[in-house]
Amino acid sequence: MSRAVIAGPRDKLPQCIEVLHELKLIHIIDHHGEDDTFRIGKPLSPAAELSDNLIKLRSIASILAIKAPPKEKERVRIEELRQKVLSLELNITEEDAARKKAEGLLGDLERRIEELRPFASIGLPLEAYRGYESLTVIVGRVQRDIAGFEEAMPVAEIFRGPDVVAAFVPRASSEQALALLGRSGFTQLDIPAGEGSPKALLDAAVADRDKWEARLEEIQGRLEKMRERYAAFVVAAEEALEVEVDKAEAPLRFAVSDHSFVIDGWVPSSGFKALQTRLEGLGIYVESGESKEGHEDEAPPVLLRNPKPARPFEFLIHLYSTPSYHELDPTLFLFIAAPFFFGFMIGDVGYGALFIALGVVAAIRLNPKSIWWRILFVTAVGGVWSVLFGLFVFGEAFGLPFHPAPGHLEELNWESFGMFVPIPTLIHKAFGIADMIYLSLLFAALHLGTGYLIGFVNEVHHNKGHAVAKLGWFMCLFGLFTLLTYSLRWNPIARWVWDVPLGWFPRMIEPLGLRGFLGVEIPFASFILILGALLGLFESVIAPIEVASLLANIMSYMRLAGIGIGKAAIAAAFNTILFQDMILTGQIGFVIGGIAFLILAQVLVFLLGWISAGIQALRLNYMEAFIKFYKGNGIPFRPFGLRATQEV
């Protein structure tokens, strides 16, 4: 990034704004008006009218319920907008007022109908319920029959309707009457206003409601026609006005005096020459300060530049925190690690293929700038890893293994249905729990170790002590990993790692008598490496105490094995129950029901796997690895003129 200071005569400010908006290169640093000479600028003269037009258009768009942009875009001219917007607003406002009036009347009529309906079923005129000095009229709904009320209250007179009762009782006995009615689930009703037959009043209210519903339908039909006719114009005009308002209000971010203006900001170094050439052609001065180490006064904004396949993952980085200008962008790190972990936890050809299919559908049907497109793309990349793991490691599709595990021929698998897949299974999830756990620990060492190395690169130019501490923690991590591998070498995978990749590692075991003190065998080199945590003193005096925390970080990765095994176990349980107890019975009813339940079960496992594996894949990056090297708190690069897109 290059710091750019732009200065020129005040009368050229509109031209300067046009060029800056067109180039979309400068991230403006807002001026806050601290200087007596250079104050915060005032909006350009058209700003008030443009803002008013924009507010009116947004109101029109809200009334017409225009949500998605139309397929065909319409060209608009800013100078012709005012009259057209005023005319459109007048017509639409009248229709909207008529719609609101009709909706209000319909609401009142619905309430009136609900009030009258129980009284219409009783049949007494409304005036019969009022005007008594010695009687209390109690009307309400009952849930059960009120048998025995007349015997208990012989002085009362009662009228019934379907689930409705009206009791005329002496005023002194009203409490007793309410208690008796309460046994039947009584709910008291208010007596509606008016006089005459409630049935006639109800019929009149229903007729009025039907009339106003028809009128409301006509109004909505006219509004629908207006939406079809003016949607393209409203969307195009709103976009054009947003741009013009942005330009007209830009001086609020600049330093402006009586005769000149100053704009301060950041420009990508590769685009500075183009900016300078355009502005100097207008007689506007541009000064550059190249991005150097430090930027003590103010950190530059951050513009992420990643390979095209990794760019959809950038929103996950911004969701956590934008990288600072002086640290490595972790997008590629996340691009590799998160889908890999996701695929390991799912580890199924069938579910992985469905995730890929979702990504393909998103690529065809969704806008690449939408958040759902990015979420489904990230999921599809994880689906690729899931297919690879499911095909070449776990040998599994939709929770069914390709082949039965050795010694467990009774296990339901694809060969049970006569389908043979000529690919050997390396790990059966149900019977290879130890393998899954060790692989999780191996991935933890690789993931966290890469994090410490990135942290070293981030710190080496800024704080040598912190950089040395990162190397110390890397040594400690490696020591813990070699210790765990040595302790678990009874597992075939751990034995292979100990003998082949770690074949060079010193095999000497505790020459200083530590075995008797600690009670366990520890390779001496592992012990020395773990002591590398003492280099953490360069970061904090309590850093070496956090060796246990680092061990907890490593153990946290065992969730990879837990979720992978749990997902497979749930899918296998559903498959076994539904196939053996329903589908394979041969009874048509059980077969149909079993297939329906099997589809629901597979959808459930798919969704649970998607949610749990997706969350945990991100969590291991955010909560375990990022804290080892990533500070964030950067400022996203927002060039003037670039319209913001929707983000999480």
Side-chain angles (χ1 to χ4, degrees), residues 62-81:
S62 176
I63 293 171
L64 295 180
I66 299 173
K67 297 178 181 179
K71 295 181 180 179
E72 296 183 2
K73 292 188 175 181
E74 184 172 322
R75 292 179 175 270
V76 297
R77 296 172 61 87
I78 295 296
E79 57 273 15
E80 299 174 356
L81 277 180

Side-chain angles (χ1 to χ4, degrees), residues 46-92:
E49 181 178 322
L50 291 170
S51 297
D52 182 58
N53 288 340
L54 182 58
I55 291 171
K56 293 180 185 300
L57 266 178
R58 286 174 175 168
S59 174
I60 292 170
S62 176
I63 293 171
L64 295 180
I66 299 173
K67 297 178 181 179
K71 295 181 180 179
E72 296 183 2
K73 292 188 175 181
E74 184 172 322
R75 292 179 175 270
V76 297
R77 296 172 61 87
I78 295 296
E79 57 273 15
E80 299 174 356
L81 277 180
R82 180 69 176 176
Q83 191 59 40
K84 193 168 184 178
V85 168
L86 289 175
S87 175
L88 184 58
E89 182 195 30
L90 180 62
N91 294 333
I92 290 178

Side-chain angles (χ1 to χ4, degrees), residues 344-362:
F344 180 77
M345 285 183 278
I346 298 297
D348 188 288
V349 177
Y351 299 131
L354 291 179
F355 289 127
I356 295 173
L358 285 177
V360 172
V361 171

Side-chain angles (χ1 to χ4, degrees), residues 456-467:
F456 172 79
V457 175
N458 284 338
E459 298 288 354
V460 71
H461 297 298
H462 309 296
N463 190 312
K464 298 295 191 296
H466 288 175

